[in-house]
Amino acid sequence: MARALRTLVVDDEQPVLDELVWLLGRDDRIGTIDTARSGTEALRRLDAGDIDLLFLDIAMPGLTGIDIARLLGRFKSPPQIIFVTAHDAHAVEAFDLNAVDYLLKPIREERLRESVRRAVADSDSAGTDSDDTIAVELAGVTRFVSRSKVTHAEAQGDYVRLHTLDGASHLIRTPLTSLAEDWADAGFLRIHRSIAVNRAHILEVRMSSGRASVVVPAAGGTTTELQVARRHTRALRELIGEHTP
């Protein structure tokens, strides 16, 4: 990380504001910390244009956190957003607004540090290809998964199971056809009616008797082999520069 993140914490409840500032002050990845107790005050502070990270309460009088996040589109270099709320009802909206994370009150220091880690990782990758985040739920908790960490997506009825580099898998409600089309520009290639693979994570392409498979990484240094349907083999071979008769 080039420098510590300049941070703005916005919450209309002073005790929550004080706790967040105190916890963030214990993290050396965080630089200066400013505060605001309303959406209007927050926008005035953001107009200065020197905030890297915004901790944003959702339920506030007047301008809500969601309102503020939508207004950030007019900024040339908008800060990263971490929503802080007592409810999980706005998780999907948070995802649509490209939030780094979504924290539920009361805030646990360990969970807060994980949010800062994600913000630092995103900050360090600034200037590289954009990387969308996907909202997923596990045991009633919403998490955000970076698309670049997805090795492949597997259709399961009306759902898609996302497989990630750490070996985890997450179920999201979207058809694979729609996902493959939406993610094609990000390097995802349909190799089977039920599988789309992230080209960036293909370790090997294996050919045997005219049939193809691809190998992608899995947890603990292991790999997973994915079969390629015959109708998708030509596109795969063209991708890797092989002549297709």
Side-chain angles (χ1 to χ4, degrees):
M1 185 177 67
R3 57 175 169 76
L5 298 174
R6 297 167 299 193
T7 304
L8 175 63
V9 182
V10 185
D11 200 298
D12 62 314
E13 299 179 7
Q14 190 64 49
V16 176
L17 203 63
D18 293 341
E19 181 183 20
L20 266 173
V21 169
W22 183 76
L23 290 173
L24 289 169
R26 292 160 54 89
D27 194 323
D28 58 11
R29 296 168 297 185
I30 297 295
T32 59
I33 305 174
D34 287 344
T35 63
R37 291 195 58 185
S38 71
T40 302
E41 184 182 354
L43 286 176
R44 283 198 298 265
R45 180 63 189 84
L46 288 165
D47 276 335
D50 59 353
I51 296 298
D52 302 310
L53 180 59
L54 176 62
F55 284 86
L56 192 54
D57 184 26
I58 290 182
M60 296 186 294
L63 287 173
T64 68
I66 296 293
D67 294 332
I68 297 170
R70 287 175 177 153
L71 291 171
L72 291 180
R74 66 185 176 90
F75 289 87
K76 183 178 180 180
S77 299
Q80 298 178 86
I81 303 170
I82 295 175
F83 282 111
V84 182
T85 179
H87 309 285
D88 60 4
H90 298 281
V92 173
E93 285 179 282
F95 160 62
D96 289 339
L97 292 166
N98 295 318
V100 173
D101 209 346
Y102 188 91
L103 290 174
L104 290 176
K105 300 175 183 176
I107 304 300
R108 294 182 294 108
E109 184 170 12
E110 180 180 348
R111 183 68 180 84
L112 180 62
R113 291 185 65 85
E114 168 61 18
S115 291
V116 174
R117 184 198 65 76
R118 295 182 186 187
V120 169
D122 282 3
S123 179
D124 287 346
S125 63
T128 62
D129 292 339
S130 61
D131 184 16
D132 285 349
T133 55
I134 303 95
V136 299
E137 289 194 10
L138 181 63
V141 178
T142 302
R143 295 285 185 266
F144 294 90
V145 175
S146 296
R147 183 173 59 188
S148 63
K149 301 298 191 298
V150 177
T151 60
H152 61 289
E154 180 182 8
Q156 292 191 352
D158 293 331
Y159 292 78
V160 167
R161 183 168 296 280
L162 304 177
H163 298 268
T164 56
L165 288 169
D166 59 3
S169 68
H170 308 279
L171 205 60
I172 61 174
R173 189 181 180 88
T174 187
L176 181 65
T177 298
S178 298
L179 181 142
E181 290 176 356
D182 292 343
W183 290 10
D185 289 342
F188 280 77
L189 177 70
R190 193 78 173 266
I191 61 170
H192 191 279
R193 64 183 177 83
S194 62
I195 299 174
V197 65
N198 187 343
R199 289 160 49 183
H201 294 309
I202 295 178
L203 300 175
E204 297 178 20
V205 176
R206 299 174 179 172
M207 304 293 300
S208 177
S209 302
R211 299 301 299 270
S213 63
V214 298
V215 177
V216 295
T222 61
T223 59
T224 297
E225 185 173 1
L226 306 171
Q227 295 300 313
V228 180
R230 289 190 184 276
R231 63 190 294 259
H232 294 287
T233 299
R234 177 183 293 271
L236 177 67
R237 293 176 68 175
E238 289 175 350
L239 173 68
I240 62 176
E242 290 189 11
H243 172 67
T244 303

